[in-house]
Amino acid sequence: MNDWLNRIRKGIGKKLAAVHRWNAWMIAFLAFSGLILPLGVWREWLGAGRVWLKWLHTGLGLALLVPVLYYLLLAGKHWSLLKGRPAQKWNVVLVLGILAGWFLSGVVLWQLRFFGPAWTNVALTVHDVFTWIGLPYIIYHSLARTRWLKESHRRTVRTDSPPANVDSPRSGTEPLYTRRAFLRSAIGLGLTVALGPSFVKWLSSSLNSEANVEALVQKGQNDLVPAPQPAADSLPPVGGGSKGSFRIYTVTPIPTFDNSNWSFAVDGLVDHALKWNWEEFVKLPRTVQVSDFHCVTGWSVYDNTWEGIPLYRLLEKARVQPSATTVKFYSGDGVYTDALTLEQAQMKDIMVAVLLDGKPIPSELGGPVRLVVPQMYTYKSVKWLNRIELIAADHIGYWEARGYDKDAWLPGAKRT
């Protein structure tokens, strides 16, 4: 065993440089893909490519374990070379800790169906924290080792004083600033300007879920009158108020609606096609329910108080024909669709929601009306819902056509 380790550790300098190089390239890609995957403009532009990018991000994240394990074989000798250098030892521990945090939380997010929402919600926060801490540090770590920063003649200005050594290749020059001063000022300032506001915004929304929902309500751009009047159980919300922060994902620009461009229809294979304008729709009888909201990317918002019309009641009112097998849902953005089987659509907690915690659903969260399917991941809960069609054939929804599971059941879902 010792002979084998000695052979592996031979030429440790070049091997450590190779490990560092591979880590740098892999982390650069993971940082790039991890930062663009949640952004709405990229979700729209990438389309089906987003699913492939997500799997590539996951695969490369798992592959990151290979250079780390290889480094661990070199670690004994590397550690002995760092004798008397506590700062460098601390750097090694910190980088390995960051990589371990990323890897473990990433595995939980990758296997979200196995771990379930309680674990993935924590894992996503941990993954974010390690990104906010680790990415700036690794950028600093990488830039600090670039060759041009180590060559003082690249950071010099000509002086008027005569050179001390006329034979010096850098005669007549002296350093304008030290390498350490440059790193502390330029890199520190750059990272603060680039990442600081985003970190503060993320931290604020993570710590204050009520402000998150309230801010979205205030920001809502829909202009529909009259406003729906909340039931007694909605305001104050019987669920106590949403717990968690919504992340705004959309594949199109967020649409806005007013009384002139909004309507709601139930049609297709039904005996009585239904259609309402806004004034008529808000007069329909509504019920209140409390449910959790779980995104397939790993985050959750708990104890949401939704008020709206149970889907099965709308289907009963329309009188579904025997030939219908699928319920298709249309988004008011004109692009997004999804579907449930007719059997799935009979679940009592599926709701065509109008209010969240006693307030109109903001446009960023899919208002004025959205579908809520508590037993499934929320890509099934169509935003800006304005049409329900009963059809005889299967329908592959927007994200299912791009690689997501057709059945989005949560672990332990109640399928009735």
Side-chain angles (χ1 to χ4, degrees):
M1 183 67 176
N2 287 336
D3 290 341
W4 179 70
L5 282 175
N6 288 333
R7 285 197 300 270
I8 289 178
R9 293 169 177 173
K10 188 176 181 180
I12 188 172
K14 291 183 178 179
K15 290 178 179 179
L16 287 174
V19 168
H20 188 276
R21 184 169 59 251
W22 277 107
N23 267 343
W25 280 111
M26 294 169 79
I27 289 171
F29 176 81
L30 289 170
F32 171 76
S33 56
L35 290 173
I36 70 171
L37 278 170
L39 299 180
V41 62
W42 284 102
R43 291 167 69 86
E44 179 184 359
W45 186 80
L46 288 170
R50 182 191 176 279
V51 177
W52 290 104
L53 183 62
K54 177 184 175 183
W55 282 112
L56 190 57
H57 181 90
T58 302
L60 198 61
L62 295 171
L64 188 62
L65 188 62
V66 175
V68 172
L69 291 176
Y70 185 68
Y71 169 76
L72 293 178
L73 295 175
L74 307 173
K77 187 170 183 179
H78 185 213
W79 203 254
S80 66
L81 294 174
L82 296 179
K83 185 177 181 180
R85 299 177 181 178
Q88 289 183 269
K89 287 185 175 181
W90 167 247
N91 175 72
V92 171
V93 173
L94 182 58
V95 170
L96 287 176
I98 291 169
L99 294 176
W102 265 336
F103 181 80
L104 294 174
S105 58
V107 167
V108 174
L109 293 171
W110 170 45
Q111 293 296 324
L112 77 172
R113 287 182 179 271
F114 174 78
F115 288 98
W119 280 84
T120 56
N121 210 38
V122 174
L124 187 61
T125 300
V126 170
H127 209 68
D128 283 348
V129 168
F130 274 101
T131 298
W132 288 115
I133 295 173
L135 189 56
Y137 182 78
I138 288 173
I139 291 173
Y140 176 94
H141 181 71
S142 298
L143 289 176
R145 282 154 179 76
T146 56
R147 181 173 297 176
W148 74 273
L149 286 174
K150 295 180 180 180
E151 298 174 357
S152 62
H153 69 279
R154 296 181 183 271
R155 299 176 281 102
T156 59
V157 293
R158 186 162 298 280
T159 65
D160 294 330
S161 58
N165 181 0
V166 295
D167 296 325
S168 170
R170 291 191 289 273
S171 297
T173 65
E174 60 183 27
L176 174 64
Y177 41 78
T178 67
R179 175 171 172 263
R180 178 174 295 181
F182 177 85
L183 290 174
R184 285 179 175 174
S185 58
I187 300 177
L189 179 62
L191 291 175
T192 300
V193 171
L195 300 178
S198 298
F199 174 74
V200 171
K201 183 179 179 181
W202 169 83
L203 185 63
S204 175
S205 64
S206 297
L207 296 178
N208 194 342
S209 60
E210 291 184 5
N212 171 262
V213 175
E214 185 62 34
L216 292 173
V217 170
Q218 295 298 325
K219 186 180 177 182
Q221 299 298 312
N222 293 324
D223 185 19
L224 290 150
V225 292
Q229 296 303 305
D233 282 344
S234 282
L235 197 64
V238 66
S242 300
K243 298 174 179 63
S245 295
F246 289 94
R247 301 189 178 204
I248 310 305
Y249 296 160
T250 174
V251 298
T252 65
I254 295 174
T256 58
F257 302 93
D258 57 35
N259 291 61
S260 67
N261 68 358
W262 190 90
S263 63
F264 194 96
V266 182
D267 55 25
L269 298 176
V270 297
D271 291 336
H272 296 293
L274 307 171
K275 189 169 185 178
W276 298 275
N277 60 26
W278 178 254
E279 294 91 336
E280 295 165 336
F281 191 79
V282 293
K283 294 178 182 178
L284 296 176
R286 299 190 297 266
T287 62
V288 176
Q289 70 180 36
V290 179
S291 61
D292 300 331
F293 192 89
H294 302 298
C295 181
V296 74
T297 59
W299 58 270
S300 303
V301 179
Y302 298 91
D303 297 333
N304 304 282
T305 299
W306 301 102
E307 182 178 328
I309 307 158
L311 176 62
Y312 75 90
R313 290 188 182 174
L314 290 177
L315 300 181
E316 287 176 352
K317 190 177 183 69
R319 295 189 184 178
V320 179
Q321 295 175 2
S323 57
T325 61
T326 301
V327 184
K328 182 179 178 182
F329 305 97
Y330 292 82
S331 170
D333 65 5
V335 173
Y336 197 96
T337 61
D338 215 306
L340 298 170
T341 67
L342 186 57
E343 181 182 3
Q344 291 170 347
Q346 301 298 325
M347 290 189 292
K348 303 304 181 185
D349 59 356
I350 299 180
M351 176 177 282
V352 177
V354 180
L355 295 165
L356 168 60
D357 287 348
K359 299 179 177 65
I361 300 172
S363 49
E364 285 79 2
L365 297 185
V369 175
R370 72 167 300 153
L371 190 67
V372 175
V373 187
Q375 304 305 321
M376 294 185 175
Y377 288 108
T378 54
Y379 62 87
K380 286 290 188 180
S381 296
V382 176
K383 293 180 179 179
W384 311 302
L385 182 67
N386 65 0
R387 184 187 174 199
I388 299 171
E389 182 186 17
L390 279 296
I391 60 177
D394 278 345
H395 173 71
I396 303 301
Y398 182 92
W399 281 119
E400 290 90 331
R402 291 159 173 80
Y404 281 30
D405 290 339
K406 183 180 176 183
D407 291 324
W409 296 112
L410 290 161
K414 299 175 183 178
R415 306 189 182 193
T416 56

